[in-house]
Amino acid sequence: MAKKSKIAKMNKQVALINKYSEQRQELKAAKDYEGLAKLPKESNPNRLKLRDLTDGRPRGYMRKFGMSRITFRELAHQGLIPGVKKASW
């Protein structure tokens, strides 16, 4: 479980990214790099660290499922992820 402050920071950053996404696209299309530099740094989607949405874990993140490897394993064993089952051979 990540610190609550880290999860709050991520949520705040996601809101900033969504707020400035259209403006950022327009500035990029116009090649106005000075205008881009004036936007908040945290509004750049490259700076976003992907985290598990349930517990906020930053490492072992699986993009396809949007969760960490630990949460994925727990939910897969419970059969809560459609199309995923434990392999055995």
Side-chain angles (χ1 to χ4, degrees):
M1 181 77 186
K3 293 185 347 183
K4 290 182 181 180
S5 61
K6 291 288 186 181
I7 295 171
K9 181 182 177 185
M10 183 191 74
N11 292 335
K12 195 174 180 182
Q13 191 174 2
V14 168
L16 262 178
I17 290 169
N18 293 334
K19 180 179 177 182
Y20 288 102
S21 64
E22 287 183 27
Q23 190 176 358
R24 183 172 284 281
Q25 284 179 342
E26 291 169 4
L27 291 171
K28 275 188 176 182
K31 297 188 179 184
D32 182 10
Y33 299 114
E34 291 178 12
L36 276 172
K38 290 179 182 176
L39 293 178
K41 279 187 178 179
E42 296 299 320
S43 68
N44 188 348
N46 293 343
R47 293 175 61 95
L48 181 66
K49 176 72 174 166
L50 296 175
R51 291 178 172 270
D52 186 346
L53 297 177
T54 55
D55 63 0
R57 182 179 168 83
R59 295 187 178 191
Y61 182 80
M62 301 171 72
R63 279 181 189 254
K64 185 174 181 180
F65 299 98
M67 60 184 78
S68 69
R69 59 184 177 80
I70 297 169
T71 308
F72 174 80
R73 190 166 190 263
E74 290 172 0
L75 295 177
H77 282 307
Q78 294 171 10
L80 299 175
I81 304 174
V84 175
K85 63 180 182 178
K86 189 173 185 309
S88 61
W89 59 90

